[in-house]
Amino acid sequence: MPELDLDLTVLRDWYTGLQARIVDALETADGQPFRTDSWTRPQGGGNNNLPPAPLPTEGGDHGSLRSGTHTAAPLGRPGGGGISRLIEEGTLFERGGVNFSHVTGDKLPPSATAHRPELAGRRWEAMGVSLVLHPRNPYCPTAHMNVRCFVALHDTEAPVWWFGGGMDLTPYYGFTEDAQHFHQTCKEALTPFGAEVYPRYKKWCDEYFFLKHRNEARGVGGIFFDDLNEGGTGGHTPFERCYQLMQSVGNSFTAAYLPLLERRRDTPYGERERDFQAYRRGRYVEFNLVWDRGTLFGLQSGGRTESILMSLPPVVKWRYDWHPDAGSDEEKLYTDFLPPRDWV
Amino acid sequence: MPELDLDLTVLRDWYTGLQARIVDALETADGQPFRTDSWTRPQGGGNNNLPPAPLPTEGGDHGSLRSGTHTAAPLGRPGGGGISRLIEEGTLFERGGVNFSHVTGDKLPPSATAHRPELAGRRWEAMGVSLVLHPRNPYCPTAHMNVRCFVALHDTEAPVWWFGGGMDLTPYYGFTEDAQHFHQTCKEALTPFGAEVYPRYKKWCDEYFFLKHRNEARGVGGIFFDDLNEGGTGGHTPFERCYQLMQSVGNSFTAAYLPLLERRRDTPYGERERDFQAYRRGRYVEFNLVWDRGTLFGLQSGGRTESILMSLPPVVKWRYDWHPDAGSDEEKLYTDFLPPRDWV
């Protein structure tokens, strides 16, 4: 029963609930409250009538992004809004945001449906929660998580929907047990949906979060998936199966990440570690601004810039042709952690 | 006589000579030497056989860039190399580079010649000098200059060439007389080639160096031009006229910029000014990585990353939804200097 499946208020409530639960856990870990900044965009509002970025960070999959270009493609006259929850200069987090957004459009252009031309012209809604957290302690890794859904609606035909999401970890100083815990938690979140799912989404993550201009991974990876709209067994519809899979990913984030912060947050560090962290954060900026489809499409299509760029680190350094000393802990990140490998 | 006009060794000598003259002047101003880093890329070398970025920073105009997309388009099997001259932690310059590059390809794809389809399949050469300088003192503006040429060669037909280039100024604290001097020098460089040239290229610069996602100019502008291959009067061929115009722009850079550094380099500053400089430098990163065609094409098509990213500042900060205090010097940048206006 797709109509029941697609009660979007139920989806919206789940996303806003997830955002609230994650922020509660992060506030407890930090000891300081997150700011709340709600925003709306009236139908037809926004720069040049293009949509806000429904997916403030990685993995936004809209329109021309499918083709890998960064050309902004109007998705009808979109409206919508969101709730940004953010922290800066916290005790544990130097900068971070957990964003919910829900945007709608009245006409899906052909470019938005390259692999589903039959959907052109439909009304659409996109919803998601996306977060990036940059701890201050260089021994604490940066983390990203995103869960989202996209629905193409029709007056007389059944709606077409798909889910996407994932989470990935970006350490500055690598720890095998941290990467293992993060991946093990990702695997446990996906195993109920098939033993083949984690390996597939782990590989997809390695391929997506890769800086081609550096021939370097962003971090130790995690899981990534998109265009999920199939499956369903044991009395579950495909929608139920995909929705539950996405929920399992979102619900697993705090269990995957918070234990690593607790393990590393009190590790002493000095200027050397902070300097390496600032240098490596430059790679995060390069990925998000050069390669990430969601970020670029958002910025180039009238998205809410301050929400989109909550993914950028607070302090970043660039220097020419720098390489870590042989045998240093900094070099180990490049030799032992960034090259994609199996962690579980 | 296009054959004589297109003695590329003459062009190459001029570009390397310009680079040397500019670096000499900058070293004198700074008191510290620039590093020299030469690099070569064998025919067919480079990531996935795509070309290095012939134009390390703004204004690179190659292939699919014309369409505004960021899709890498193979320009045959390119070779080439360059000479990077750079400084970090100098007395005056916190980070900066003056790069020469010369790349060649054996087959211009249709995508590279959208508005000149008849050139598809030709051998090509691209050459240029591009610089970005980030002074340490927040009262000293950041500057960018680029001059370049592109030639499509043919065994039996005349070569087809075009020139591009420009320079623009990005202050952190604005000074009317500085913007006026920079623009006046740009105007004087172009006036010999027609009174209408400066206004046209000034407007082109305002339009190009604009952060659409911020609805904000990068700085106080300057001049920008591309696809220049026409004109010529008084016994001058079109090539002579265009080559001389580009030379005039390149030769005018130190006169446009160095007096501003001498005027501001000893202005006292504190943490407040350094912090604002670091915040504003974030805009420079956003423009170069999100909007600049040359940078993006270079990074996405196998360019030499460390040379391309010499344009990025040494220390950058991002913070959420920040706005300067009413009436502050920081606010004056937004109200009195970034909105495009006539400076001369």
Side-chain angles (χ1 to χ4, degrees):
Chain A
M1 294 142 65
E3 291 69 17
L4 278 186
D5 286 344
L6 277 168
D7 181 345
L8 291 168
T9 62
V10 172
L11 280 169
R12 185 184 174 101
D13 289 346
W14 184 79
Y15 282 116
T16 53
L18 175 70
Q19 177 188 35
R21 291 193 300 279
I22 290 174
V23 170
D24 285 347
L26 297 174
E27 286 178 329
T28 299
D30 191 275
Q32 295 191 36
F34 277 49
R35 288 174 58 183
T36 302
D37 198 356
S38 300
W39 54 277
T40 60
R41 180 179 300 269
Q43 193 85 350
N47 308 355
N48 50 53
N49 275 6
L50 289 172
L55 309 162
T57 68
E58 290 78 2
D61 187 358
H62 282 257
S64 58
L65 299 176
R66 283 227 169 72
S67 70
T69 74
H70 297 157
T71 309
L75 304 179
R77 278 178 283 95
I83 307 168
S84 294
R85 301 295 311 275
L86 38 120
I87 186 168
E88 292 184 308
E89 299 295 323
T91 307
L92 173 59
F93 300 113
E94 194 174 357
R95 189 169 196 247
V98 183
N99 298 324
F100 163 77
S101 68
H102 177 193
V103 287
T104 64
D106 60 7
K107 200 168 187 304
L108 203 54
S111 66
T113 55
H115 65 341
R116 292 197 184 87
E118 70 279 12
L119 300 184
R122 286 193 175 203
R123 287 178 292 114
W124 59 271
E125 300 205 19
M127 234 185 278
V129 169
S130 188
L131 68 82
V132 174
L133 297 162
H134 294 286
R136 174 176 281 100
N137 188 318
Y139 290 101
C140 292
T142 285
H144 158 256
M145 189 279 288
N146 170 245
V147 282
R148 58 189 183 272
C149 68
F150 196 98
V151 183
L153 299 157
H154 192 282
D155 295 334
T156 58
E157 297 171 31
V160 175
W161 49 266
W162 56 92
F163 291 96
M167 64 179 91
D168 71 296
L169 193 71
T170 307
Y172 302 92
Y173 291 90
F175 296 95
T176 300
E177 63 266 39
D178 291 3
Q180 287 172 336
H181 171 83
F182 190 82
H183 275 272
Q184 181 63 37
T185 310
C186 290
K187 182 179 182 179
E188 288 165 7
L190 294 175
T191 297
F193 304 91
E196 75 292 354
V197 178
Y198 166 76
R200 264 187 62 220
Y201 291 0
K202 190 272 187 192
K203 182 168 179 291
W204 200 344
C205 186
D206 288 339
E207 290 164 355
Y208 183 82
F209 294 108
F210 190 79
L211 286 75
K212 298 184 185 68
H213 66 288
R214 300 278 190 184
N215 192 34
E216 185 180 289
R218 179 164 90 165
V220 296
I223 51 175
F224 180 87
F225 64 98
D226 208 347
D227 292 316
L228 177 66
N229 66 344
E230 294 171 337
T233 54
H236 289 301
T237 65
F239 180 86
E240 287 167 345
R241 185 254 181 184
C242 298
Y243 182 29
Q244 286 164 12
L245 187 156
M246 180 208 65
Q247 287 176 299
S248 183
V249 169
N251 290 333
S252 301
F253 172 72
T254 53
Y257 184 52
L258 291 184
L260 311 184
L261 298 181
E262 293 309 321
R263 202 182 280 166
R264 309 299 166 192
R265 64 184 298 171
D266 298 322
T267 307
Y269 62 87
E271 266 320 296
R272 174 196 177 117
E273 293 77 16
R274 279 287 283 175
D275 186 65
F276 182 61
Q277 176 191 50
Y279 175 78
R280 289 296 310 172
R281 283 169 166 176
R283 299 292 211 272
Y284 215 83
V285 174
E286 291 173 24
F287 179 83
N288 285 13
L289 297 186
V290 175
W291 296 107
D292 183 55
R293 298 174 303 173
T295 300
L296 278 156
F297 181 71
L299 293 179
Q300 299 188 341
S301 62
R304 185 171 184 270
T305 294
E306 289 295 334
S307 295
I308 297 166
L309 297 186
M310 271 310 295
S311 65
L312 299 185
V315 182
V316 183
K317 293 181 179 180
W318 275 274
R319 66 180 73 108
Y320 181 75
D321 203 23
W322 182 83
H323 301 286
D325 295 337
S328 64
D329 289 344
E330 290 77 15
E331 187 191 45
K332 284 191 180 59
L333 178 72
Y334 294 83
T335 55
D336 300 358
F337 291 90
L338 296 184
R341 51 180 268 203
D342 291 330
W343 293 102
V344 295
Chain B
M1 295 140 65
E3 291 69 17
L4 278 186
D5 287 344
L6 277 169
D7 181 346
L8 291 168
T9 62
V10 172
L11 281 169
R12 186 183 173 101
D13 289 346
W14 184 80
Y15 282 116
T16 54
L18 176 70
Q19 178 189 34
R21 291 193 300 278
I22 290 173
V23 170
D24 285 347
L26 297 174
E27 286 179 328
T28 300
D30 191 276
Q32 295 190 35
F34 278 49
R35 288 175 58 184
T36 301
D37 198 357
S38 300
W39 55 277
T40 60
R41 179 179 300 268
Q43 194 84 348
N47 307 357
N48 49 54
N49 275 5
L50 288 172
L55 309 162
T57 67
E58 291 79 1
D61 188 357
H62 282 258
S64 58
L65 300 175
R66 282 227 168 71
S67 71
T69 76
H70 298 157
T71 309
L75 303 180
R77 278 178 285 95
I83 307 168
S84 294
R85 301 296 310 275
L86 37 119
I87 186 168
E88 292 184 308
E89 298 296 323
T91 306
L92 173 59
F93 301 112
E94 194 173 358
R95 189 167 197 248
V98 184
N99 298 324
F100 163 77
S101 68
H102 178 192
V103 287
T104 64
D106 61 7
K107 199 168 188 306
L108 204 54
S111 65
T113 54
H115 66 339
R116 292 196 183 86
E118 71 279 11
L119 300 184
R122 285 193 176 203
R123 286 179 293 114
W124 58 272
E125 300 205 19
M127 234 185 275
V129 168
S130 188
L131 69 82
V132 173
L133 296 161
H134 294 287
R136 175 176 280 100
N137 188 317
Y139 290 101
C140 292
T142 285
H144 159 256
M145 189 278 289
N146 170 245
V147 282
R148 59 189 182 273
C149 67
F150 196 97
V151 183
L153 299 157
H154 192 281
D155 295 336
T156 58
E157 297 172 31
V160 176
W161 49 265
W162 57 93
F163 291 96
M167 64 179 91
D168 71 296
L169 193 71
T170 307
Y172 303 91
Y173 291 91
F175 297 95
T176 299
E177 63 265 40
D178 290 4
Q180 287 172 336
H181 170 83
F182 191 83
H183 275 272
Q184 181 63 37
T185 310
C186 290
K187 182 180 182 179
E188 288 164 7
L190 295 175
T191 298
F193 304 92
E196 76 292 354
V197 178
Y198 166 76
R200 264 187 61 221
Y201 292 180
K202 189 272 187 192
K203 181 167 180 292
W204 201 343
C205 186
D206 288 338
E207 291 164 354
Y208 183 81
F209 294 107
F210 190 79
L211 287 74
K212 298 182 185 69
H213 65 290
R214 299 279 190 183
N215 192 35
E216 184 181 289
R218 179 164 89 166
V220 296
I223 51 176
F224 180 86
F225 65 97
D226 208 347
D227 292 315
L228 177 67
N229 66 344
E230 295 172 334
T233 54
H236 289 301
T237 64
F239 180 86
E240 286 167 344
R241 185 255 180 183
C242 298
Y243 182 29
Q244 286 163 13
L245 187 156
M246 180 208 65
Q247 289 176 298
S248 183
V249 169
N251 290 333
S252 301
F253 172 73
T254 52
Y257 183 53
L258 291 184
L260 312 185
L261 298 182
E262 294 309 320
R263 202 181 280 165
R264 309 297 167 193
R265 64 184 299 170
D266 297 324
T267 306
Y269 61 88
E271 265 321 296
R272 175 196 176 117
E273 292 78 16
R274 280 288 282 177
D275 185 66
F276 182 60
Q277 177 191 50
Y279 175 78
R280 290 296 310 172
R281 282 168 165 177
R283 300 292 211 270
Y284 215 83
V285 174
E286 290 173 23
F287 179 82
N288 285 13
L289 297 187
V290 175
W291 297 106
D292 183 56
R293 299 174 303 173
T295 300
L296 278 157
F297 182 72
L299 293 179
Q300 300 189 339
S301 63
R304 185 171 185 269
T305 294
E306 289 295 335
S307 295
I308 296 166
L309 297 187
M310 271 309 296
S311 65
L312 300 185
V315 183
V316 183
K317 294 182 179 178
W318 275 274
R319 67 179 73 104
Y320 182 76
D321 202 23
W322 181 84
H323 301 285
D325 295 337
S328 65
D329 289 345
E330 290 77 17
E331 187 191 46
K332 284 190 179 59
L333 177 72
Y334 294 83
T335 54
D336 300 359
F337 290 90
L338 296 184
R341 50 181 268 202
D342 292 330
W343 292 102
V344 295

